Amino acid sequence: MPKSFVYTHIRGFDEEVLRGGIPQGHVILIRGASGTMKSSLAYYILYHNALGGLPGLYVTLEQTAGSLLEHVASLGLKATTVSDALPILDLSRGREHLEEMVAKVGAMTDATAPRGEALVAVLKAKVLELRKKRKFELLAIDSWDALELILEFQDRRAETFGFFEWLRDLGVTSLLISEEPGWQAPSTGLEEEFLADGIVLLRLQPVTETAYQRRVQCVKMRSVNQDSDDHTLLFENGRFEVARAIG
Ligand SMILES: Nc1ncnc2c1ncn2[C@@H]1O[C@H](COP(=O)(O)OP(=O)(O)OP(=O)(O)O)[C@@H](O)[C@H]1O
Ligand SMILES: [Mg+2]
């Protein structure tokens, strides 16, 4: 029995690239350098799903909810029409936000446990509470890198694995935004790439000496025979659209 799909609502992407959509329950990485429209794309996917009746939760860690809303408004997305179906959990003050949450539930957490663990526990509790209350089906974490930094993973592979499993158990489809490092030390294995169910890469590709084109490539999508080719990514009149890249 095939799983059901979550649509990205990017014109041409669901049908031609994903050959259906994102399998429900997958943990997806949206990877790219700064300015490649990672946040825009993730919000766009949640926004269109919220409009269609599938609620979401957007966790922002790198920019404030206000700044995110301002940006998506400039893209022509009317966030106020979906505010109930798409709340934003603003953790842009990072650690401080989570520390406050830990303090509130202080009595419940084990004082002898490492700080990182208490932060993970309180974050999970908050997301779980919102899942029960809002019944969201899509979760965006912007960004995974920022979250990981706050949570102070000691054993990166094991803790990433544990967190991804937790997301899968939650039963939601997750979009994790991931920064493309400008350089990569050989010792920093990209565990999340192996552990994710799908990877969507965003890029600004030079097409002439002076011109750049937005590109999108789905390099991995478990249980889908996706098209891994490079596609141009266009954003016009409030809609994302892909077209096969030539040359
Ligand atoms: N109306 C618009 N139409 C098309 N592109 C736009 C529009 N408004 C902003 N942009 C582009 O969106 C980009 C920023 O998008 P976004 O914040 O989603 O990127 P990001 O990959 O999340 O960046 P960061 O890594 O800094 O978080 C800007 O660099 C700009 O080129
Ligand atoms: Mg961003």
Side-chain angles (χ1 to χ4, degrees), residues 31 33 36 38 73 100 109 120 147 190-191 206 224 236:
R31 212 143 206 253
T36 50
K38 300 179 297 295
E100 281 165 18
T109 55
V120 176
L147 184 64
L190 289 167
E191 286 86 355
V224 167
E236 257 170 24

Side-chain angles (χ1 to χ4, degrees), residues 145-221:
D145 309 69
L147 184 64
E148 208 189 287
L149 214 62
I150 297 171
L151 299 182
E152 296 176 356
F153 286 172
Q154 304 294 314
D155 178 348
R156 210 169 167 263
R157 188 176 181 99
E159 283 170 275
T160 302
F161 178 80
F163 201 92
F164 282 20
E165 279 300 292
W166 181 79
L167 289 173
R168 291 187 188 104
D169 288 346
L170 201 60
V172 301
T173 306
S174 311
L175 307 178
L176 308 187
I177 289 172
S178 153
E179 297 290 336
E180 188 73 61
W183 57 277
Q184 200 184 306
S187 59
T188 54
L190 289 167
E191 286 86 355
E192 62 268 36
E193 292 208 348
F194 299 107
L195 297 170
D197 299 306
I199 305 173
V200 175
L201 297 182
L202 297 178
R203 208 169 66 248
L204 271 171
Q205 172 84 10
V207 285
T208 67
E209 258 181 62
T210 51
Y212 287 80
Q213 207 173 51
R214 293 193 186 281
R215 294 284 175 93
V216 61
Q217 187 190 11
C218 179
V219 292
K220 169 178 175 180
M221 192 61 68

Side-chain angles (χ1 to χ4, degrees), residues 46-72:
L46 266 60
Y47 172 82
H48 279 283
N49 277 283
L51 282 180
L54 206 61
L57 173 68
Y58 198 103
V59 183
T60 180
L61 294 111
E62 290 195 352
Q63 62 186 135
T64 61
S67 152
L68 176 72
L69 288 171
E70 210 172 283
H71 177 66
V72 300

